[in-house]
Amino acid sequence: MESYDIEDFIEEVKFQMTEYDVLEEKTILDWEKKARAYIMRHGNNKNIAIKSKDEIYIKVYDDELMAQIALAYYRAFRDNDLDGYWKTFKL
């Protein structure tokens, strides 16, 4: 298990999303905005540690998590089901 700073975690997911040509920058930035909101709402659970405004860490049990998040978002975008994606999104 590793802990990633929120900035590193989000940047890695966004990098993984660039592999999918149909995901434009605007769409990826929308994911980032909503992911940050999710993290702040669900802070201090077993996978999110908020120590201060500037110290937020995401626990990752599998290095493939960021790629899996990117793939799921791509599939939801492709299938026009982003609302469904956010209903089931969790860290």
Side-chain angles (χ1 to χ4, degrees), residues 3-91:
S3 288
Y4 285 83
D5 174 78
I6 187 174
E7 300 305 325
D8 294 336
F9 178 82
I10 286 178
E11 287 305 314
E12 180 60 28
V13 174
K14 287 169 45 179
F15 174 76
Q16 295 290 331
M17 287 181 180
T18 64
E19 297 293 315
Y20 305 102
D21 294 334
V22 298
L23 295 178
E24 298 174 350
E25 182 179 7
K26 179 180 181 265
T27 305
I28 293 171
L29 292 176
D30 186 56
W31 174 87
E32 177 181 1
K33 179 182 170 185
K34 290 179 180 176
R36 286 181 184 277
Y38 171 91
I39 290 167
M40 297 311 290
R41 274 193 322 274
H42 294 90
N44 291 321
N45 69 23
K46 68 179 184 167
N47 296 324
I48 301 170
I50 299 177
K51 297 181 180 194
S52 73
K53 178 182 167 189
D54 298 321
E55 286 188 84
I56 302 170
Y57 299 94
I58 312 299
K59 295 176 188 170
V60 176
Y61 293 94
D62 182 354
D63 288 337
E64 289 296 312
L65 176 64
M66 285 78 86
Q68 293 168 357
I69 290 171
L71 177 59
Y73 191 71
Y74 159 72
R75 287 178 176 162
F77 180 82
R78 178 194 66 196
D79 297 342
N80 199 26
D81 188 26
L82 291 178
D83 288 337
Y85 173 86
W86 289 109
K87 287 177 184 174
T88 61
F89 182 80
K90 61 183 171 186
L91 292 176

